Amino acid sequence: MTKMQRVLVAGPMLAFLIAAGGRSLGASAANNTGDERNNKGQPSTLPLNSLDGLEVQSIREDGVDPVKTKADVATYRGRRAVRIVNDDGLTAAGTPAGAQAIAIVKTSDFKDGTIEADVVGLPREGAPSTTKGFVGIAFHVQDQGSRYESIYLRMLNARDDDQMQRNHSTQYVEQPDFPWKRLREENPGVYESYVDLDPGAWTHIKIAVAGTKARLYVNGAAQPCLIVNDLKLGESHGELALWTGSNSEAYFSTLTVKQTPIKR
């Protein structure tokens, strides 16, 4: 059974303002007015130079000891960013335990549209050699973080000498019912793919969601590197979150969200 630990609630639960224009990143579905619905076609940007309004949680899939998760603001390659370090240790067999950490944007509510961010994923200091630098975005976050969908990168896989490892550079999952292992066993190669990544470099990702489909674009590419045709939560909505995988040190900068306008 999954065990979730709420690690940190940083700052008051106030709406984020976009850098130019003053609109909030998101408003709760229950409080949306007609004017807010009309604004959903406009992009909203969160610079991610503060922890204000982020709620950091960690999840251990095996339901045992809680994950050691650290969240702060740091400078990486000249850019201020939110940093999340996930230290989930090892299982009794000496392998990574498969923990995840998410930083929920508390004012967000997302259904369809695009999510963009600049990210970096590295093995944390002292991580096992199998750690690949897992970093991505979670969306449709529900039930206080216990259920969500995520698309993420395995940064170090992209330039591995083993082609099979390269083929695991991107990944879609749904927590808790469709983790990567189940998806790979039941549908090999369908929910992950290869994309070239420069380990340690700032990487731009864009996730486009429409109904039950999602596409991942990396570094401004015109074509997606991963296509998901059957999102496991269906046509759903929920909060957005920064996502970090097992034993990884992840950096996040400039989250931009553009929601698809509601048709009347």
Side-chain angles (χ1 to χ4, degrees):
M1 181 176 180
T2 299
K3 182 174 182 178
M4 180 171 64
Q5 179 191 28
R6 183 169 297 173
V7 178
L8 170 69
V9 178
M13 293 299 105
L14 300 177
F16 284 113
L17 301 180
I18 60 175
R23 291 195 186 94
S24 64
L25 177 61
S28 68
N31 294 328
N32 273 342
T33 66
D35 288 342
E36 285 168 334
R37 287 191 178 96
N38 290 336
N39 287 336
K40 282 197 172 182
Q42 301 298 319
S44 300
T45 299
L46 177 63
L48 294 178
N49 55 12
S50 167
L51 290 174
D52 289 347
L54 297 179
E55 181 178 303
V56 182
Q57 299 178 354
S58 56
I59 301 166
R60 274 290 285 268
E61 295 175 2
D62 58 11
V64 293
D65 296 337
V67 187
K68 298 175 184 177
T69 303
K70 177 183 178 182
D72 59 14
V73 176
T75 298
Y76 182 83
R77 293 196 177 184
R79 188 183 302 192
R80 293 286 283 175
V82 169
R83 175 175 62 180
I84 301 175
V85 181
N86 177 338
D87 178 0
D88 73 349
L90 303 174
T91 67
T95 58
Q100 303 167 41
I102 57 174
I104 300 172
V105 182
K106 290 297 294 181
T107 58
S108 60
D109 183 65
F110 178 83
K111 183 179 186 295
D112 292 339
T114 59
I115 311 159
E116 299 186 55
D118 294 325
V119 301
V120 180
L122 305 166
R124 67 166 176 81
E125 184 177 355
S129 61
T130 53
T131 304
K132 302 300 182 179
F134 309 106
V135 60
I137 296 293
F139 53 97
H140 299 163
V141 180
Q142 303 169 9
D143 301 332
Q144 298 182 323
S146 62
R147 182 173 298 277
Y148 57 81
E149 301 180 272
S150 176
I151 291 179
Y152 63 90
L153 307 175
R154 298 183 179 96
M155 296 288 294
L156 272 64
N157 272 358
R159 296 187 178 179
D160 197 281
D161 289 336
D162 185 333
Q163 183 60 48
M164 186 61 72
Q165 290 299 314
R166 290 190 176 214
N167 294 344
H168 302 324
S169 298
T170 76
Q171 180 74 56
Y172 162 79
V173 295
E174 186 271 321
Q175 170 70 28
D177 296 326
F178 291 90
W180 68 267
K181 188 173 183 180
R182 175 182 176 181
L183 291 173
R184 186 179 295 178
E185 290 175 350
E186 296 180 359
N187 301 275
V190 175
Y191 297 98
E192 54 191 327
S193 68
Y194 165 74
V195 66
D196 185 39
L197 302 167
D198 181 1
W202 281 109
T203 300
H204 187 79
I205 59 174
K206 180 173 80 171
I207 300 170
V209 180
T212 60
K213 298 183 179 181
R215 297 181 178 223
L216 170 66
Y217 301 81
V218 171
N219 286 333
Q223 291 296 317
C225 57
L226 178 65
I227 299 174
V228 180
N229 287 315
D230 58 338
L231 293 175
K232 301 306 181 183
L233 292 181
E235 293 196 27
S236 186
H237 73 92
E239 294 169 305
L240 296 171
L242 315 177
W243 183 98
T244 308
S246 177
N247 286 307
S248 295
E249 178 177 351
Y251 295 83
F252 302 86
S253 175
T254 315
L255 178 68
T256 300
V257 180
K258 184 176 181 180
Q259 299 227 40
T260 301
I262 297 174
K263 295 182 179 179
R264 294 176 179 267

